[in-house]
Amino acid sequence: MLDKVSLAETAAVSQDSRPAPAATESSPGPNQKSSKRRKKSAIGRELHHFRNNRELFLLSLPGILYKLIFAYIPMVGLIIAFKNYRYDLGIFGSKWVGFDNFRYLFSTDTAWRITRNTVLYNTAYIVVTTVSALLLAILMNEIKQKWSKYYQTALFLPHFLSWVLVGYVAYAFLNHSDGLINRTLQAFGMDTVSWYQNAAPWPVILILVHLWKAVGFNTLIYFAGILGINGDYYEAAKIDGATKWQMATKITIPLLSPLVIILLILSIGNMFRGDFGLHYFIPNNSGFLFGSTDIIDTYVYRALREIGNVSMSAATGFYQSVVGFVLVLVANGIVRKINPDHSLW
């Protein structure tokens, strides 16, 4: 009996000590099965979400197609920035030159000047427009509802005017012989100014023209944000004896700060992409003003028109897009460090 028991125990031990059969390639492990299940569940959730919201997706289909056709498919053309583009060879048949087009851009004498002008002008536009729009939105909130509509229309109207038309309006003011400003100076016995030959006053002129055209749109955005603020805050402040200035600085501006920060982050992303229409049509493309008004976009346009170097123009646009993307990431990262609730993501 003892011998039979010992033999049975020995057989059990020998079976337990046998190595487990190796998993074949055809039999997936538990991790692979779980990852496949997660993928299937994620796809299932998306399909379920699409079925539940198919009407909304159909409504957004024109916008999606617009972005796909005009924003994503043309991105194939970015390879022109790394090629010596020739019309007879096409995009894919042209010769690869690597970063030679970027070297040409930064080797020119005007590279530092146009980059400096682009950054400084856009910084001034962002600061001046944001402060002015906030002030106008707060003031508009204080006037009667009947008059508010007229002010909104007057402020928003310049936003719809093209830069070509605005350029003619500016020329009517700044023309040397028949301009309104020079005629006014003559009426007071003062000397006239050759505005299109004197580069010194043009930073102020461009900032004022941009402010006139862009402040209305930003004002309406901030005004809509003010209308969304709960009126109980202002009622409580009035009971406590707060002044209009105190209500604006302690209630309106702090509650509008998330909206202001989001618009600032988006504006910073376009800091390296200047407003071509403003800097081309308002100075009337005068060669005397290039040192003060020229930016990356106007320089590239003239280079493309005079030299016909498509590759260098594509390299400049690619450079502007990459720098703008990096600036958005940096600005959003800084905001997220300060207050995560106010960041874009």
Side-chain angles (χ1 to χ4, degrees), residues 45 157 167 323:
R45 286 196 301 269
L157 182 61
V323 173

Side-chain angles (χ1 to χ4, degrees), residues 110 112-118 120-121 197-200 202-203 206 279 283 286-295 298 302:
T110 57
W112 159 248
R113 173 172 57 83
I114 60 178
T115 303
R116 178 203 63 195
N117 288 349
T118 304
L120 291 181
Y121 272 119
Q197 296 179 2
N198 185 10
W202 274 94
L206 290 176
H279 288 263
S286 174
F288 296 99
L289 310 178
F290 285 164
S292 180
T293 63
D294 209 15
I295 57 175
T298 55
R302 287 197 309 274

Side-chain angles (χ1 to χ4, degrees), residues 55-71:
E55 294 85 0
L56 296 177
F57 280 107
L58 287 176
L59 288 174
S60 64
L61 187 61
I64 294 173
L65 291 176
Y66 175 83
K67 279 291 183 183
L68 180 65
I69 295 172
F70 293 101

Side-chain angles (χ1 to χ4, degrees), residues 260-277:
V260 175
I261 291 172
I262 290 174
L263 293 179
L264 283 177
I265 292 174
L266 296 177
S267 300
I268 289 172
N270 291 322
M271 185 172 289
F272 262 71
R273 193 173 298 279
D275 196 331
F276 173 80

Side-chain angles (χ1 to χ4, degrees), residues 125-135 211 218 222 260 264 267:
Y125 296 155
I126 292 171
V127 174
V128 174
T129 304
T130 301
V131 174
S132 302
L134 272 174
L135 179 61
L211 179 65
N218 291 273
Y222 294 135
V260 175
L264 283 177
S267 300

Side-chain angles (χ1 to χ4, degrees), residues 4-204:
K4 291 181 179 179
V5 173
S6 62
L7 288 172
E9 291 176 355
T10 304
V13 171
S14 62
Q15 289 180 358
D16 294 337
S17 61
R18 291 177 185 174
T24 60
E25 295 181 357
S26 59
S27 59
N31 293 333
Q32 294 178 348
K33 290 181 179 179
S34 61
S35 63
K36 288 183 178 179
R37 282 196 297 267
R38 283 197 298 269
K39 289 180 181 178
K40 290 182 179 179
S41 62
I43 295 174
R45 286 196 301 269
E46 292 298 329
L47 291 175
H48 181 71
H49 178 67
F50 179 79
R51 283 194 297 268
N52 292 340
N53 301 277
R54 54 183 176 271
E55 294 85 0
L56 296 177
F57 280 107
L58 287 176
L59 288 174
S60 64
L61 187 61
I64 294 173
L65 291 176
Y66 175 83
K67 279 291 183 183
L68 180 65
I69 295 172
F70 293 101
Y72 286 94
I73 294 178
M75 289 180 70
V76 178
L78 289 176
I79 62 175
I80 297 177
F82 305 94
K83 289 192 170 190
N84 182 18
Y85 179 74
R86 288 177 50 182
Y87 294 97
D88 56 341
L89 298 177
I91 296 177
F92 299 102
S94 300
K95 180 183 176 182
W96 284 94
V97 294
F99 292 95
D100 289 349
N101 294 317
F102 296 91
R103 295 191 189 98
Y104 173 78
L105 172 65
F106 292 106
S107 63
T108 57
D109 297 334
T110 57
W112 159 248
R113 173 172 57 83
I114 60 178
T115 303
R116 178 203 63 195
N117 288 349
T118 304
V119 173
L120 291 181
Y121 272 119
N122 282 319
T123 303
Y125 296 155
I126 292 171
V127 174
V128 174
T129 304
T130 301
V131 174
S132 302
L134 272 174
L135 179 61
L136 288 174
I138 294 172
L139 293 176
M140 194 181 300
N141 190 46
E142 299 297 329
I143 62 178
K144 294 182 179 180
Q145 188 69 24
K146 181 181 69 173
W147 295 103
S148 176
K149 297 179 181 179
Y150 296 103
Y151 287 110
Q152 291 178 33
T153 305
L155 286 172
F156 198 48
L157 182 61
H159 176 74
F160 296 100
L161 301 179
S162 67
W163 281 119
V164 178
L165 180 59
V166 177
Y168 280 111
V169 174
Y171 186 77
F173 278 88
L174 303 174
N175 186 19
H176 177 69
S177 58
D178 299 324
L180 179 62
I181 296 179
N182 280 339
R183 282 184 173 272
T184 305
L185 293 176
Q186 288 177 346
F188 285 96
M190 302 172 66
D191 296 331
T192 60
V193 179
S194 299
W195 298 102
Y196 292 100
Q197 296 179 2
N198 185 10
W202 274 94
V204 178

Side-chain angles (χ1 to χ4, degrees), residues 196-254:
Y196 292 100
Q197 296 179 2
N198 185 10
W202 274 94
V204 178
I205 295 174
L206 290 176
I207 291 173
L208 291 177
V209 173
H210 180 273
L211 179 65
W212 173 76
K213 194 173 187 299
V215 72
F217 182 76
N218 291 273
T219 300
L220 291 184
I221 294 176
Y222 294 135
F223 182 64
I226 293 175
L227 294 179
I229 298 175
N230 193 344
D232 295 340
Y233 294 112
Y234 297 103
E235 293 295 332
K238 289 179 181 178
I239 294 173
D240 292 337
T243 61
K244 296 291 186 181
W245 174 255
Q246 290 173 335
M247 286 189 285
T249 55
K250 303 297 182 181
I251 299 175
T252 306
I253 294 178

